[in-house]
Every structure is written in C-alpha cells, then in structure tokens.
Amino acid sequence: MKFLDEYRESATATQLARLIRETAHRPWTLMEVCGGQTHTIVKSGLMDLLPSEITLVHGPGCPVCVTPVELIDKSIAIAALPGTIFCSFGDMLRVPGSSKSLLDVKASGADVRIVYSPLDAVKLARAYPSREIVFFAVGFETTAPANAMAVWQAEREGIRNFSVLVAHVLVPPAMEAILASPNCRIHAFLAAGHVCTVMGWEEYEPISQRWHVPIVVTGFEPLDLLEGVQMAVAQLEQGRAEVENQYRRAVRREGNRPAQARIAEVFEVAPRKWRGIGEIPLSGLRLRERYRAFDAEERFPVGVGVVEESSECIAGLVLQGLKKPFECPAFGTRCTPEFPLGAPMVSSEGACAAYYLYGRRPCEGSESELPSAAPSR
Ligand code: SF4
C-alpha cells in the first residue's frame, strides 16, 4: 500500500499541522473545491488538527450535487421510454428529482444500468442495436475527456443508437461566481487536483490575479490537503496571491493537452444551471453542432418544464461555502442518506453525506459559525 500509506502518515500530518499553526496569525477561510477533498477532510478529522484561525468551507465541486433537478427529471423521463437502456454512474441513481429518482424508475421496470465508463455504454449500443442507449454525462473537466471520447468513438463507428444526456460543468466559472458574491468569505482556494490533471492551472492564473486570491492545486489524501492548506496560509500571511501546485506528482501547468483537444473537438462552452445556485454564464459544456445527433435532449424531447427545488434544502448555500451541512435544519432528521431531500446527502462527493457518515458536528465554536468579516483577500 505504498502510495496510500505515504500520504496518510500521522507523524507528518502532525508536523504539517504544527507548521500551519506557526504560520497562521490571522483568521482565514479556505475553500476546498472538490467534494472528494471534502470527504477526506471530514473523514480524516483534519479540521480538528487546524488552529482556530483557519476555517475550511466546502465548495461546489460535487457534480452530482450541482446537476439541476430539471435534468434529473429529464433523465427519469428518458429512462422510462420503452426500448431505452439508460446508463449512469452509480451515485446519480439515488439523487432526488422533483418527485422520484432514477432508482425509483428502475424499480418500476425501466432498464437503468450502472456503468463504470461511458465506453461501457458504447459497448451496450453495439450489443443492442435495436435499443436506444443513453449515457448520463455528468461531471467536471475530469470526466469530460472520457465522455468526449465515447461520442467521438460512436461517431467514427457510425453507431446511431447511442446518445448522451450532457450535464457537464466547469470549475473556473464557479469559482468566479463564488468570489463575485457579496457574501463571499473565501480568502483562498484549494483547487481540485484531478480537474487540473486534465486542464492544468493556466486558467486559474487570471482568477488569482483578478481577485487577489491564492489558489493551490491540491490532491486528495490527508497530507496533500494539509500541505495545500499550509501553502495557501503562507501566501495569505505574506500578502501573496498566486497559483501554486501541491499535487506535483500528477499535475503539470499545461495539463493534458490531448485530453483538452478531445474535449474541445466534441464539446463547446455554454451557459449551465447549477442546482441550488442558478445559472452561471459559460460554466458548462454542450455537444458541438457536428455531434448534436448524439444529444439525448434533442433526440428525446421529453418536456419537464420548470421544476421547483425542495424549499427545505439549503444545498446552494452549502455548495457556496456559506453554510455547513449541520446548519441545515433538515440535516440528519428529515434528510438522511436513506431519505435524502437534496443531492449533497446522497452523492459520494456530497458535503452533507460526509458530515452524516463521519459524524461531524460543530466543535468548540470555531466551526459553528463562519467569520462574518473577511480580512483583505
Ligand atoms: S442536509 Fe439535506 S436538505 Fe440539508 S442541505 Fe444537505 S442535502 Fe439539502
């Protein structure tokens, strides 16, 4: 277990925590962008290691959580069409739409299948030429290359019974939307390492400069996150605002150019609605004109209209780092993983699920309220 133990080693974690304590002299609020990072932070108890000056809030980087209810409803309507095989990653199945989930429609007899790659869905399309195979293409820039590759492959092979329901979102516009909010309390970001493995970090440099905010590309293991925090706090204390790379073992500044080229060939940037947050300009991907025949929304025009989100669920505030999950009145009572009101309680990257699963509650004041005033960013 060489590559796991090395990044979970407690003596090094203690040293990093001491270094953070020695570095931090003022209150700083840091946001980790990715829900996978949130789970590591909460599961490993990293917040308990940090000094009271440092507050970690959790960002919008859970693609399942930010997929709008309308699109969940659309996936359910398409999955229920006769002759369709609807394919998805597993954690979309239990996400509540306006009245039911994909799991409910599967229980009613629809052919909904969990796949581990969009190329598995292309295989199904080859195997069942008389059926319509639809893949739910959810995710950030991390999953976009594989989804683009699936569409590209289907086009090359002339496969006509394959399509994708696209719900792709992009990280940089979401970070800018958070920074532009009058309620923003974020002083630094821990950027999502896997997204940057694909995209690099060049596109974060204008954000860092424009908003004078440190951005540290950070990995997913406990020591990655502690080192990312330490790097961000050092910048803040020194008055610097730069993009730095903690995740050196996986990320290069330019990212993965071939993967970026495949994304750009198949997808184009488009406005996208985020669940609980609303529409963010140029924050998503849609299929380019050449590949529009693979667009499930065009192939299956199932009308679902405008859908209201649960009035009880404050996921939008959680995803923008304005509230912690335990500040939601429904947390752990009317909203649990078995009976979720919102996607963050059921997604494997959801902040509410992390707090519920690992039993986190406010501890000794520092976590129970976010700082009301932001020192200079
Ligand atoms: S605890 Fe449930 S209802 Fe509350 S914000 Fe999280 S997902 Fe929404």
Side-chain angles (χ1 to χ4, degrees):
M1 298 294 281
K2 185 179 171 197
F3 289 111
L4 282 181
D5 290 352
E6 281 176 353
Y7 298 105
R8 298 176 179 181
E9 207 247 322
S10 65
T12 312
T14 306
Q15 280 173 11
L16 280 167
R18 189 181 312 124
L19 189 55
I20 294 166
R21 270 198 298 280
E22 290 167 2
T23 308
H25 300 295
R26 283 175 284 171
W28 303 113
T29 299
L30 279 55
M31 172 180 276
E32 84 280 355
V33 169
C34 174
Q37 293 171 324
T38 304
H39 272 248
T40 300
I41 288 166
V42 178
K43 183 178 181 181
S44 306
L46 298 189
M47 286 181 288
D48 296 342
L49 287 177
L50 297 177
S52 59
E53 286 85 356
I54 307 301
T55 302
L56 292 184
V57 296
H58 317 307
C62 163
V64 170
C65 304
V66 300
T67 300
V69 185
E70 289 91 336
L71 220 45
I72 306 285
D73 281 0
K74 216 170 257 190
S75 74
I76 291 165
I78 293 172
L81 293 173
T84 301
I85 300 177
F86 193 88
C87 303
S88 171
F89 296 136
D91 55 358
M92 284 308 296
L93 262 60
R94 300 187 59 243
V95 176
S98 59
S99 64
K100 53 187 164 184
S101 65
L102 278 168
L103 198 60
D104 294 328
V105 80
K106 180 178 169 65
S108 309
D111 194 345
V112 177
R113 303 190 190 185
I114 294 173
V115 293
Y116 295 97
S117 158
L119 291 169
D120 291 343
V122 176
K123 271 188 212 159
L124 282 171
R126 285 191 208 105
Y128 299 97
S130 63
R131 309 276 302 270
E132 284 287 342
I133 314 300
V134 184
F135 177 71
F136 206 170
V138 174
F140 284 89
E141 295 91 327
T142 331
T143 53
N147 293 340
M149 179 58 84
V151 173
W152 183 86
Q153 185 74 28
E155 205 252 357
R156 290 299 169 284
E157 291 184 34
I159 295 174
R160 297 282 167 248
N161 62 327
F162 172 75
S163 58
V164 286
L165 182 59
V166 180
H168 268 300
V169 278
L170 302 171
V171 170
M175 288 167 70
E176 292 233 59
I178 287 169
L179 289 166
S181 163
N183 300 319
C184 177
R185 301 177 171 108
I186 312 300
H187 302 113
F189 284 103
L190 305 182
H194 53 1
V195 168
C196 296
T197 303
V198 175
M199 301 305 293
W201 70 79
E202 289 164 331
E203 59 187 351
Y204 295 92
E205 288 170 340
I207 300 174
S208 174
Q209 286 163 14
R210 190 158 43 243
W211 299 93
H212 197 70
V213 60
I215 300 174
V216 179
V217 178
T218 304
F220 299 86
E221 291 297 329
L223 297 190
D224 289 326
L225 286 151
L226 285 173
E227 188 179 21
V229 169
Q230 193 278 324
M231 292 166 72
V233 171
Q235 284 201 47
L236 289 165
E237 290 287 342
Q238 293 162 16
R240 292 186 291 122
E242 300 164 12
V243 182
E244 292 183 319
N245 181 22
Q246 181 281 327
Y247 205 31
R248 293 174 293 277
R249 65 186 183 279
V251 177
R252 291 173 296 179
R253 181 170 185 272
E254 71 277 14
N256 182 332
R257 295 284 194 218
Q260 292 165 22
R262 184 63 73 225
I263 296 171
E265 181 185 339
V266 173
F267 292 116
E268 62 187 4
V269 174
R272 179 65 66 181
K273 185 177 177 190
W274 296 54
R275 187 171 187 161
I277 297 175
E279 183 165 307
I280 302 178
L282 304 180
S283 66
L285 296 174
R286 70 176 170 213
L287 290 166
R288 286 191 181 277
E289 188 62 39
R290 172 178 175 180
Y291 295 96
R292 219 42 84 66
F294 296 91
D295 188 340
E297 284 195 81
E298 295 210 355
R299 193 177 296 190
F300 309 103
V302 287
V304 294
V306 178
V307 178
E308 292 297 320
E309 296 178 14
S310 162
S311 57
E312 277 195 273
C313 179
I314 61 163
L317 298 175
V318 174
L319 291 162
Q320 295 172 81
L322 298 171
K323 293 278 186 191
K324 292 279 181 132
F326 50 73
E327 293 178 282
C328 173
F331 177 80
T333 53
R334 290 181 305 288
C335 182
T336 64
E338 289 75 28
F339 301 101
L341 288 177
M345 183 54 93
V346 75
S347 166
S348 60
E349 294 186 85
C352 302
Y355 277 71
Y356 186 91
L357 289 173
Y358 306 121
R360 305 301 300 177
R361 293 289 191 280
C363 61
E364 304 298 317
S366 67
E367 226 185 277
S368 61
E369 284 187 12
L370 299 176
S372 57
S376 61
R377 208 169 0 232

